[in-house]
Amino acid sequence: MKRLNVAVIFGGRSGEHEVSLVSARSIIAALDPKRFRAVPMAILRTGRWIGGSAAKRYLKGSSASGVKGSRLPDFNGVDVVFPIVHGTFGEDGTLQGLLEMAGVPYVGCGVAGSAIGMDKDIQKRLLAAAGIPVSDGVTVRKGWSPRVYAAAIRGVGLPAFIKPARSGSSVGVSKVKHPREFAPALRAAFRYDDKVLIEKAMPKAREIECSFLGHHLAPMTSGLGEIVPSGEFYDFNAKYVDGRSAAIIPAGLPKKLVGELRAAAEHACAVLDVEGLARVDFLLERGTRRWVLNEINTLPGFTSISMYPKLWAQEGMSYRQLITNLITLALGRQQARNDLATDFSSNSDWYKQA
Ligand SMILES: Nc1ncnc2c1ncn2[C@@H]1O[C@H](COP(=O)(O)OP(=O)(O)O)[C@@H](O)[C@H]1O
Ligand SMILES: [Mg+2]
């Protein structure tokens, strides 16, 4: 069998550039060598692309200063793409759009699902419409009058979470416990997005996560994991810096609740047009069974020790097998898409009369 060339695209223009490099190294090291050949492709912080040996060197840690790169990538010889670019211009549908235009199959969510997965505001509205519980809150826009912001926070109440609608890694996220903390929290969030969520904080929240793999006809959900953040909430420091947050797999939860959350994760992916892979994150009120779906991540951290693959490992699916499954899904989707009609011919010649 011919080995497939798998372009692993990493880097990108978001704050999660480094996280992406770590994920890409893990994926390349784990690709099944009997079936796949890795073709590293980097998106520099400037947004420029590099491939070939330059991308390999960059992945190994050499600096890219002075490297110009090209404005668009070259997918010649690429059989399938594994994009592992987190955040803006990576998991928000823009890269997926480029790949659609180029006609190359790619791992993960499509354009719409990626864009919805990135936007906490749109995501919550769709989930709520489908009857899936989400945190109460309001969305505000940059440039509105301070009186409107004040009314919004009064409506939501304290403590509240303020977060950019389209961000990740807890960048720009604050917990507001006192009215005087509100204005700085709002400013911090508006640095990253002109759309910001003000959400009622769930008291004593437990953070429960579920992995999704597949698509609406063949959905798979994993058992659940729990994150125990080192600080008051799972902020950037607790995620990446202090190394003191813990992942507990499986999360110690009653069987019925596990079933309920897994069903909600599957339902949410269908509702949001999310396919391929996603990590679905819940907040569960400690000591009760009350939960909300906090957010969906369509390109979750993907090193072999990240929650997403670890939840699959718990189900007996190795990291290598998971990667093979994701690539197989990508090829299957392309096949299904190729079978759809894209032309429409009509016998009438109405257009000639225009
Ligand atoms: N409504 C909420 N109630 C309690 N904790 C929250 C709430 N919203 C966010 N958090 C805390 O903030 C963290 C980051 O928020 P999240 O919405 O997941 O943004 P990100 O996309 O940056 O991960 C969560 O993991 C959780 O610890
Ligand atoms: Mg989160």
Side-chain angles (χ1 to χ4, degrees):
M1 198 168 67
K2 178 182 159 284
R3 286 203 298 167
L4 296 180
N5 288 326
V6 182
V8 178
I9 301 181
F10 60 92
R13 282 191 264 174
S14 86
E16 291 160 286
H17 189 94
E18 270 79 26
V19 186
S20 165
L21 261 70
V22 179
S23 294
R25 284 187 205 118
S26 300
I27 292 167
I28 290 171
L31 270 181
D32 184 349
K34 288 201 286 295
R35 308 178 58 160
F36 307 117
R37 187 186 304 116
V39 181
M41 289 176 103
I43 305 175
L44 303 176
R45 283 174 207 286
T46 53
R48 296 270 179 160
W49 294 70
I50 55 173
S53 52
K56 284 187 186 144
R57 281 197 301 277
Y58 186 62
L59 190 61
K60 287 197 180 124
S62 57
S63 149
S65 68
V67 177
K68 191 140 180 286
S70 52
R71 245 157 85 100
L72 282 172
D74 176 4
F75 292 118
N76 270 326
V78 168
D79 296 303
V80 57
V81 167
F82 198 132
I84 192 71
V85 184
H86 307 292
T88 320
F89 300 116
E91 67 179 277
D92 60 357
T94 51
L95 176 55
Q96 289 72 16
L98 180 76
L99 296 168
E100 292 282 347
M101 293 295 286
V104 276
Y106 58 95
V107 165
C109 217
V111 174
S114 297
I116 295 165
M118 189 73 195
D119 188 318
K120 294 183 169 72
D121 166 56
I122 294 177
Q123 202 177 112
K124 281 178 68 179
R125 283 191 268 154
L126 291 170
L127 292 171
I132 298 171
V134 294
S135 302
D136 286 335
V138 290
T139 298
V140 293
R141 292 278 188 169
K142 203 177 211 162
W144 287 1
S145 110
R147 280 183 20 239
V148 178
Y149 297 144
I153 192 79
R154 272 200 306 280
V156 173
L158 294 177
F161 271 86
I162 313 283
K163 45 186 159 180
R166 294 153 291 204
S167 179
S169 293
S170 301
V171 172
V173 178
S174 316
K175 184 173 184 178
V176 172
K177 291 185 274 187
H178 191 276
R180 68 170 176 268
E181 293 163 351
F182 177 55
L186 205 55
R187 267 198 302 279
F190 277 135
R191 278 192 62 209
Y192 298 97
D193 201 341
D194 57 13
K195 184 159 80 161
V196 161
L197 275 67
I198 303 174
E199 253 180 22
K200 199 181 265 308
M202 166 165 301
K204 294 179 279 171
R206 287 175 69 180
E207 315 223 8
I208 308 295
E209 306 190 340
C210 179
S211 292
F212 174 87
L213 174 67
H215 50 78
H216 68 287
L217 293 176
M220 277 171 69
T221 55
S222 70
L224 307 179
E226 176 166 8
I227 296 284
V228 183
S230 56
E232 188 175 344
F233 73 98
Y234 203 25
D235 61 7
F236 187 87
N237 186 53
K239 278 181 185 173
Y240 303 112
V241 185
D242 72 10
R244 289 190 295 111
S245 298
I248 299 169
I249 301 173
L253 293 175
K255 223 170 154 183
K256 187 158 169 278
L257 185 56
V258 172
E260 195 180 316
L261 293 177
R262 286 176 71 163
E266 185 181 317
H267 184 193
C269 289
V271 163
L272 302 177
D273 234 343
V274 161
E275 59 188 358
L277 76 160
R279 202 191 65 224
V280 185
D281 297 351
F282 298 93
L283 297 171
L284 172 68
E285 195 175 73
R286 199 173 303 276
T288 78
R289 295 193 167 204
R290 197 176 77 83
W291 56 268
V292 294
L293 198 159
N294 182 44
E295 61 155 342
I296 252 180
N297 286 289
T298 56
L299 262 184
F302 205 88
T303 68
S304 55
I305 59 154
S306 302
M307 181 64 105
Y308 181 82
K310 270 167 67 178
L311 285 172
W312 288 121
Q314 175 75 13
E315 303 289 325
M317 193 191 298
S318 71
Y319 188 58
R320 169 169 294 175
Q321 187 59 49
L322 170 62
I323 292 168
T324 299
N325 289 346
L326 284 166
I327 294 172
T328 307
L329 277 168
L331 296 168
R333 175 174 57 194
Q334 183 76 354
Q335 190 57 48
R337 197 156 300 170
N338 288 346
D339 293 343
L340 294 175
T342 52
D343 62 331
F344 174 72
S345 54
S346 139
N347 290 327
S348 92
D349 50 4
W350 58 271
Y351 53 92
K352 290 186 190 153
Q353 295 155 15

